[in-house]
Amino acid sequence: MNIRDQVKSIVKKYGTRNPFEILEQKNAILVYAPLEGVRGFYQYFQRNHIIYIDENLPKSEKTFVCAHELGHLFLHKKANALYMDSHTLFNTNKFENEANTFAAELLIPDELVYDHPGMTSKQIARLAGYSEKIMTFKTIEGGNTYGNEI
Ligand SMILES: [Zn+2]
């Protein structure tokens, strides 16, 4: 199952797109702390899911980081690694790309794109309250990334 379909089934199962609500239902531990040089990280430790988020981030960034860490939780738990997420979140490895894809699919519902056919990806991102970079990880039906087509 691809990440897009996984997110769809997660949204259906938990009945929300709010990453904080999904965390709660997963009984994950959420810790806000003043982090140095990282926005957040995910740790699977003694059967506990633990997500740390930099307490100094703006609200929309906290939501994005939460969704991104949730991606690690659902997609990479078995890798048993510690995922430190620096401020250069958007140009890293496969795991980070997958977590960003998870976050984009969770936070940008298809309807938001379909309901605003005249909008650029940048405008859609702004409407949703996130950095426009989120749209490079968003896929629309047909399997293409959002890109510049719309
Ligand atoms: Zn990450």
Side-chain angles (χ1 to χ4, degrees), residues 68-69 72 83 85 89 96 99:
H68 174 101
E69 304 307 335
H72 286 310
Y83 296 97
D85 291 308
L89 194 59
E96 298 314 317

Side-chain angles (χ1 to χ4, degrees), residues 31-136:
V31 180
Y32 287 110
L35 301 178
E36 287 283 329
V38 292
R39 311 203 304 174
F41 60 92
Y42 164 67
Q43 186 179 31
Y44 186 58
F45 181 69
Q46 295 182 343
R47 298 180 150 224
N48 290 310
H49 301 288
I50 309 168
I51 286 177
Y52 288 81
I53 299 176
D54 183 3
E55 67 181 13
N56 296 314
L57 292 175
K59 188 168 176 283
S60 71
E61 283 282 285
K62 281 182 180 137
T63 305
F64 178 83
V65 172
C66 185
H68 174 101
E69 304 307 335
L70 203 58
H72 286 310
L73 186 160
F74 279 103
L75 305 172
H76 307 139
K77 190 181 86 177
K78 289 188 180 114
N80 219 354
L82 188 63
Y83 296 97
M84 305 295 288
D85 291 308
S86 69
H87 292 271
T88 53
L89 194 59
F90 287 102
N91 57 357
T92 54
N93 65 35
K94 175 174 173 276
F95 288 130
E96 298 314 317
N97 283 333
E98 288 180 356
N100 283 333
T101 300
F102 186 97
E105 292 296 344
L106 185 66
L107 299 175
I108 308 288
D110 290 352
E111 302 78 59
L112 192 68
V113 177
Y114 296 138
D115 289 351
H116 302 89
M119 281 197 178
T120 63
S121 59
K122 189 177 180 176
Q123 288 169 325
I124 296 280
R126 197 178 298 151
L127 186 67
Y130 302 102
S131 152
E132 65 182 290
K133 286 173 185 167
I134 195 173
M135 298 306 289
T136 59

